[in-house]
Amino acid sequence: MNPSKSGAAIVASYADTPLRKKVLRRIRNRPTTRGAAILLGILVLLAVLAPVIAPQNPHDLASLSVMDNRLAPGSESINGMTYWLGTDAQGRDMLSAILYGLRTSLLVGLSSTVGALAIGVAAGLVAAQFGGVIDAAIMRVVDFMLGFPSILIALVLLASIGRGVDKVIIAIILVQWAQYARLMRAAALVERRKEYIEAAVNFGLPTRHIMLAHLLPNSIGSVLVVSTISIAGAITLEATLSFLGVGVPVTQPSLGLLIANGFEFLLSGEYWIAVFPGIALVLLIISLNLVGDRLRRSFNVRGS
Amino acid sequence: MTAYVLQRLIQSILVLLAVSIVVFLAVYGIGDPIELLVPPQVSAAERAAMIRRLGLDLPVLQQYLVFLGNALKGDLGRSFVHGVPAVDLILARLPATFELVLLAMSLAAVVGIPLGLLAGLNPESRPSRAIMAGTVLGFSLPSFWKGMMLVLLFSVALGWLPTAGRGETVSVLGIQTSLLTLDGLKHLVLPALNLAIPNMALMIKLVAAGTSEAMTQDYVKYARAKGVRPKRVVGRHVLRNILIPVVTVAGMEFGSLVAFSTITETVFAWPGMGKLLIDSIYQLDRPVIVAYVMLATLLFVAVNFLVDILYAALDPRVKLTGEMV
Amino acid sequence: MTSPLLEVRGLKTVFHDLKGAWPAVDGVDLIVEPGEILGLVGESGSGKSVTGFSLVQLIDAPGEVVAGDVMFKGEDLRRASEERMRNLRGDRIAMIFQDPLMTLNPVLSIGEQMCEAILEHRTVSRQEALKEAANALARVGIPSPEARLKQFPHEFSGGMRQRVAIATALLNKPDLIIADEPTTALDVTIQSQILFEVQKLSRETGAAVLWITHDLAVIAELADRVAVMYAGRIVETGTVDDVLDHPRHPYTLGLLGSSAAAIAPGERLRQINGMAPSINSRPSGCPFRPRCERALAICSEVDPSPQSDREHSYRCHNPVPEGSTP
């Protein structure tokens, strides 16, 4: 009946059914993240170079002129400088304020993530290695922390210790370490069941060596991948706390605080004071999320 | 069942105890509340009398036990600022927050479940991909930023809706509500929507993932092989299975909605308990902060308990026994 | 001779991936007469389950039925609308699936899942439907059926669930039941009980059965005729007595040799060399050639056409001589 067909011949004969096109579209459809990675790179670069490229130092009150307050984007200052993104209520150049705000936001996001990672990874590793009562105690605390909305924990902590860049970082570390501890413990437990660890234990290697030289490097990967998205979470939390007025101090405004300062002028039509820092914040958060999500997918790590 | 309830009850009490210790230490242990209570010009004798009257001269443990004893009687201290019991202050603000949270939850379910079904049934279509992209934004954008954008769009640019306050309220069974007046509803829409967005995104994600997973299950194929109409396959076989995680997660998210209402209430100047918390933090009104945390915890614990019971009612495979951890 | 209940010609079902469209079912011909039990037998991956689902148009992407005719009572199902197919499924053509643990919806009651099979096809009251469902459960030997209808799948054992599935299949007195390895997941004792029930019910109701299995012993016990499937096609078909007693295709012979039931006690089990080719690496010529002890030069060049010897047909260039017994 049918002459024999090799694989190649079969490929050709149904190469154009509508269903086939649909199926192939599904396989090929992958969101592009290159744009997000480039955007993220630019934002980080701007933040790092802020002192060099910003037209004005927004922290230096002497260089501000109150006469220039709340100027629309594109206005010129008395001394001939153009405020491309307008000025705020103190007469601060918004572009400069945003560049410095980006710097503060990234600083808080990165350092709190590193701090939370360090504590969480250590706690998770210890819990997985020693098990028993130590594990139970650590995980009870983790469960307790994760049982409460992060914003609430941070708010109450800041209510008692006051505002400041360092204090916001502490608050975010306190909120975020628990998720890393849980992830790290899970990853390390999987790793501990593998034969090479068993071999190392039977070999009589010291526990500390097994934990730091074998368990840690082999199970930290998934935790690091998840932490990229958590940087975005940390930045969001910082912005929120600053917006609520309990975050960074007015002398070192982050993007969140800039938005809060502009919010009251939003209704009177002076949109630029709040909207431009808002755009910067959102670009930062979205690009971090897309890049982090892409990393998570390519390393096939499930989120917490 | 009784064993289970008992176990949960003990668990809940332990959680409340732990929270009370942590909060007491955090709020009373750090800093000296007397600085706030007594005007600087009072004499040293008056000051000492005040300290004694408030029990602040006692050891920390004893202070805590007094606090705990009072808490059990429903007394979480008096507001420094308003001079009334902190619990009363919060309870007075409770209805405003509740109507916001409940409306947000309903919005999330009413919008999220159909969109999630749509995205889960046909994940490759253009609308589905747009929906899923929207959920990423809904999750990741800061709540205050979304609130600001809603204000900018609907109030400043279009002029359709008011930006702040609760509007006109009516009293139902002694509780003030904005749900029953047109003006109140107008004021409620934007804050409720803002509070609902992340939950909506979560619903969509959950329902979409559940749907696309359920559609590959044998029981769906079997239902189709029985000649069951597609509408019933989705509306009964798939939805009934998805409902279990959806209800569970929706219930568990109740707590974070209450917590996140602090942000939304601040943006929209909504006079609920979240706004009260933020105001109290500004004014260092510690009894109110402590009372808020204790009442919020009580609320979370109670809601989680209800969710567990609901979960057992929805899933015939689950029997509530005391053995659960 | 009356017209067959189901006549399949050149059925072809492919699965798409980036590299091509791979045929899981590659030109299958089948005939099922009214009331008979046809066994469709083959190794896993031979395409027998895909054939079953292709018949009722229940192939989901990335799979696709691309060619062939499926004539059911004179109607071409490949050209039938989806709504027409829905009307036929569960009514004229019922299906029983392999894994009874997975096929019943865990969160709906047995009664609801049985009644919907009735209510989606006929306008009867809910009470009526529940009564029919209870009768059907009683017929497949489930005690206290009314109480059982209120229960959920997890309260039933695997064998009981498969009885539920059989009872459900019988609800609308179908002309054809497609049973996809319904006893594979069950204990041997329960398996033979169920085979006995199915045979009895098929005789009583006049429903034809297409019984898909990898187990020749089941076919020997149950079926009237058998079709042996290999690499997406039927390589041998005929009455159970003809095919099992006098196999002509070397593959059938090999299958018989590796079946415990067909071997005299004490004799060693034989096995067929090699593995069945996967869907994307089918050899040219006869697909069985690389594993065949009787292969000739022509076998790697030309795919053999079916040749028939009365009711018995097979696709082989060098068939097993007639009269030899396995």
Side-chain angles (χ1 to χ4, degrees):
Chain A
M1 201 170 108
N2 287 333
S4 130
K5 279 177 178 167
S6 70
I10 290 153
V11 175
S13 52
Y14 301 107
D16 54 349
T17 68
L19 186 115
R20 172 167 182 81
K21 285 179 188 152
K22 215 169 135 186
V23 168
L24 291 192
R25 203 162 50 229
R26 175 185 311 180
I27 299 171
R28 291 193 183 121
N29 259 337
R30 294 249 163 78
T32 56
T33 24
R34 189 176 301 150
I38 293 171
L39 178 64
L40 182 60
I42 293 173
L43 289 171
V44 171
L45 207 64
L46 286 177
V48 171
L49 296 179
V52 184
I53 54 175
Q56 192 185 63
N57 180 356
H59 299 169
D60 178 13
L61 295 173
S63 73
L64 306 181
S65 160
V66 192
M67 298 290 288
D68 285 345
N69 79 47
R70 286 149 67 191
L71 291 178
S75 308
E76 268 188 30
S77 76
I78 323 171
N79 51 30
M81 184 180 115
T82 307
Y83 297 122
W84 294 110
L85 300 181
T87 62
D88 70 2
Q90 278 81 46
R92 203 183 275 141
D93 172 39
M94 282 313 298
L95 177 62
S96 308
I98 288 170
L99 289 173
Y100 275 85
L102 204 58
R103 207 174 151 84
T104 307
S105 291
L106 268 171
L107 173 81
V108 173
L110 281 175
S111 42
S112 55
T113 301
V114 169
L117 257 177
I119 297 176
V121 163
L125 198 60
V126 166
Q129 172 66 37
F130 296 106
V133 184
I134 297 174
D135 182 27
I138 293 176
M139 292 323 285
R140 270 295 130 80
V141 177
V142 165
D143 288 342
F144 183 78
M145 295 298 296
L146 293 177
F148 287 89
S150 53
I151 183 79
L152 202 60
I153 301 176
L155 270 178
V156 171
L157 183 75
L158 288 172
S160 58
I161 64 176
R163 58 200 291 182
V165 172
D166 49 342
K167 286 164 183 162
V168 172
I169 292 175
I170 291 172
I172 297 175
I173 289 175
L174 188 80
V175 165
Q176 291 203 329
W177 73 273
Q179 54 157 332
Y180 295 126
R182 178 176 279 183
L183 277 173
M184 185 65 197
R185 175 178 175 270
L189 279 181
V190 170
E191 206 61 30
R192 256 180 67 85
R193 276 185 224 112
K194 295 195 178 159
E195 280 175 18
Y196 76 97
I197 298 274
E198 228 168 83
V201 172
N202 292 339
F203 213 68
L205 290 179
T207 310
R208 215 180 62 135
H209 177 82
I210 293 174
M211 280 170 74
L212 296 181
H214 297 291
L215 220 43
L216 180 67
N218 285 306
S219 45
I220 202 171
S222 57
V223 184
L224 287 179
V225 167
V226 170
S227 75
T228 43
I229 290 189
S230 295
I231 297 175
I235 289 174
T236 307
L237 189 53
E238 180 279 320
T240 303
L241 292 168
S242 297
F243 179 85
L244 293 175
V246 294
V248 298
V250 271
T251 50
Q252 200 178 346
S254 67
L255 294 173
L257 190 55
L258 291 177
I259 297 168
N261 290 340
F263 188 62
E264 56 179 307
F265 303 110
L266 198 63
L267 302 180
S268 51
E270 287 151 333
Y271 65 90
W272 59 90
I273 310 178
V275 167
F276 289 135
I279 291 172
L281 177 67
V282 162
L283 289 179
L284 182 62
I285 289 170
I286 290 178
S287 60
L288 270 169
N289 262 304
L290 289 177
V291 171
D293 198 50
R294 178 71 218 200
L295 280 177
R296 214 189 55 195
R297 266 182 228 216
S298 37
F299 287 99
N300 200 16
V301 178
R302 293 194 58 172
S304 47
Chain B
M1 181 77 189
T2 325
Y4 176 77
V5 171
L6 211 67
Q7 193 182 335
R8 279 303 300 258
L9 217 58
I10 294 169
Q11 234 173 56
S12 309
I13 292 170
L14 285 178
V15 169
L16 281 167
L17 259 177
V19 170
S20 72
I21 294 172
V22 171
V23 170
F24 183 83
L25 286 181
V27 177
Y28 283 87
I30 307 168
D32 187 2
I34 202 70
E35 297 293 328
L36 294 146
L37 288 171
V38 207
Q41 62 269 26
V42 298
S43 71
E46 273 180 83
R47 197 183 157 89
M50 187 91 167
I51 288 175
R52 219 171 312 114
R53 190 158 55 80
L54 289 171
L56 293 174
D57 53 342
L58 300 171
V60 179
L61 181 68
Q62 212 169 335
Q63 280 190 47
Y64 171 70
L65 289 177
V66 170
F67 164 78
L68 197 64
N70 288 336
L72 286 177
K73 286 179 268 173
D75 174 12
L76 290 168
R78 264 170 192 280
S79 160
F80 295 162
V81 177
H82 303 272
V84 295
V87 174
D88 295 358
L89 209 55
I90 291 170
L91 289 182
R93 301 286 199 101
L94 198 67
T97 295
F98 258 47
E99 69 184 15
L100 195 60
V101 167
L102 289 179
L103 189 62
M105 280 182 100
S106 331
L107 265 177
V110 167
V111 178
I113 292 174
L115 288 185
L117 275 177
L118 193 75
L121 287 175
N122 206 350
E124 299 318 309
S125 71
R126 219 171 277 272
S128 303
R129 288 160 57 81
I131 291 169
M132 293 318 286
T135 63
V136 175
L137 293 184
F139 267 128
S140 52
L141 296 182
S143 177
F144 72 89
W145 189 88
K146 283 175 285 195
M148 190 175 83
M149 286 299 136
L150 288 176
V151 168
L152 197 59
L153 180 62
F154 291 102
S155 307
V156 178
L158 297 170
W160 290 353
L161 294 164
T163 57
R166 209 176 163 197
E168 196 183 321
T169 58
V170 288
S171 177
V172 178
L173 303 171
I175 296 168
Q176 296 291 320
T177 175
S178 305
L179 282 167
L180 297 173
T181 66
L182 186 63
D183 184 53
L185 277 176
K186 271 186 172 176
H187 281 81
L188 192 53
V189 169
L190 286 187
L193 180 64
N194 190 47
L195 192 56
I197 287 172
N199 250 46
M200 234 178 245
L202 184 65
M203 282 283 174
I204 291 174
K205 236 182 155 170
L206 261 181
V207 172
T211 306
S212 56
E213 201 215 309
M215 289 305 284
T216 64
Q217 296 290 312
D218 268 7
Y219 63 76
V220 163
K221 202 161 198 181
Y222 181 60
R224 287 164 68 201
K226 283 192 294 187
V228 176
R229 266 164 257 261
K231 226 186 242 169
R232 191 180 150 82
V233 171
V234 173
R236 188 75 185 145
H237 286 266
V238 172
L239 205 58
R240 187 64 180 69
N241 271 281
I242 298 174
L243 210 59
I244 297 164
V246 164
V247 168
T248 315
V249 172
M252 291 194 305
E253 283 298 296
F254 180 86
S256 73
L257 275 179
V258 170
F260 272 95
S261 71
T262 52
I263 304 165
T264 294
E265 287 177 9
T266 305
V267 173
F268 293 92
W270 186 263
M273 52 194 264
K275 181 86 170 62
L276 177 70
L277 175 69
I278 299 292
D279 292 344
S280 304
I281 289 175
Y282 287 145
Q283 298 160 333
L284 292 172
D285 198 347
R286 294 178 184 196
V288 180
I289 301 172
V290 172
Y292 178 92
V293 174
M294 293 310 297
L295 285 177
T297 308
L298 192 64
L299 204 64
F300 297 169
V301 165
V303 168
N304 279 348
F305 182 58
L306 284 179
V307 168
D308 277 353
I309 301 222
L310 202 58
Y311 177 67
L314 279 174
D315 192 334
R317 289 163 295 185
V318 175
K319 290 270 173 294
L320 295 180
T321 59
E323 293 147 38
M324 277 172 66
V325 183
Chain C
M1 190 177 164
T2 54
S3 69
L5 177 70
L6 177 77
E7 185 169 6
V8 181
R9 290 268 161 250
L11 184 70
K12 193 160 200 158
T13 303
V14 298
F15 282 82
H16 297 279
D17 72 5
L18 275 179
K19 294 198 198 77
W22 309 102
V25 176
D26 197 3
V28 157
D29 304 330
L30 276 179
I31 285 179
V32 181
E33 301 291 347
E36 79 166 343
I37 300 182
L38 172 67
L40 181 60
V41 67
E43 290 169 281
S44 43
S46 60
K48 55 193 193 302
S49 292
V50 177
T51 303
F53 285 114
S54 300
L55 297 180
V56 289
Q57 309 291 312
L58 271 181
I59 293 289
D60 293 320
E64 184 183 15
V65 183
V66 288
D69 305 312
V70 180
M71 305 299 292
F72 177 74
K73 293 169 84 177
E75 179 180 2
D76 188 353
L77 300 188
R78 273 208 63 219
R79 275 144 203 95
S81 69
E82 178 50 34
E83 179 58 17
R84 173 66 189 146
M85 281 313 300
R86 187 191 73 70
N87 281 321
L88 287 173
R89 286 184 213 125
D91 188 43
R92 296 299 89 222
I93 306 175
M95 289 191 81
I96 303 169
F97 284 20
Q98 175 169 359
D99 189 348
L101 302 177
M102 305 295 290
T103 50
L104 293 173
N105 193 327
V107 295
L108 300 182
S109 72
I110 296 295
E112 175 170 0
Q113 297 189 61
M114 288 186 76
C115 285
E116 72 178 355
I118 301 172
L119 297 170
E120 292 286 291
H121 296 291
R122 288 183 273 146
T123 37
V124 296
S125 72
R126 214 179 152 71
Q127 262 56 46
E128 195 79 13
L130 276 169
K131 225 168 94 190
E132 280 190 41
N135 287 339
L137 284 185
R139 188 148 62 159
V140 294
I142 293 182
S144 53
E146 281 88 2
R148 288 299 225 166
L149 284 176
K150 294 193 189 76
Q151 293 185 324
F152 289 87
H154 70 276
E155 293 167 274
F156 287 66
S157 68
M160 280 298 187
R161 285 191 224 187
Q162 207 56 298
R163 281 166 200 267
V164 169
I166 292 167
T168 309
L170 293 171
L171 284 170
N172 294 319
K173 301 189 179 60
D175 298 311
L176 175 65
I177 297 173
I178 298 173
D180 184 8
E181 305 227 24
T183 56
T184 305
L186 304 178
D187 288 346
V188 184
T189 47
I190 300 185
Q191 169 173 320
S192 55
Q193 284 172 18
I194 288 194
L195 291 182
F196 174 74
E197 302 270 358
V198 167
Q199 205 165 29
K200 193 184 87 185
L201 293 165
S202 163
R203 300 266 182 278
E204 281 170 19
T205 61
V209 178
L210 177 63
W211 189 279
I212 299 170
T213 180
H214 64 274
D215 190 350
L216 273 177
V218 168
I219 300 292
E221 194 174 332
L222 176 77
D224 303 313
R225 283 192 313 117
V226 59
V228 181
M229 201 162 175
Y230 186 80
R233 63 195 62 195
I234 306 292
V235 292
E236 181 161 14
T237 180
T239 65
V240 167
D241 291 342
D242 273 350
V243 173
L244 299 194
D245 292 344
H246 311 287
R248 302 301 308 275
H249 198 286
Y251 176 64
T252 314
L253 188 69
L255 268 188
L256 280 167
S258 59
S259 167
I263 296 294
E267 199 177 333
R268 262 181 74 117
L269 274 179
R270 285 182 301 249
Q271 58 173 18
I272 308 175
N273 293 326
M275 302 256 291
S278 69
I279 186 171
N280 50 12
S281 63
R282 300 250 163 96
S284 62
C286 171
F288 187 58
R289 188 245 318 152
R291 304 172 73 186
C292 184
E293 289 169 358
R294 303 178 56 81
L296 306 173
I298 188 179
C299 296
S300 56
E301 307 283 327
V302 183
D303 191 17
S305 312
Q307 40 186 305
S308 82
D309 172 7
R310 285 160 300 149
E311 292 285 285
H312 191 164
S313 102
Y314 45 88
R315 293 173 79 162
C316 184
H317 291 301
N318 185 18
V320 179
E322 208 168 346
S324 65
T325 44

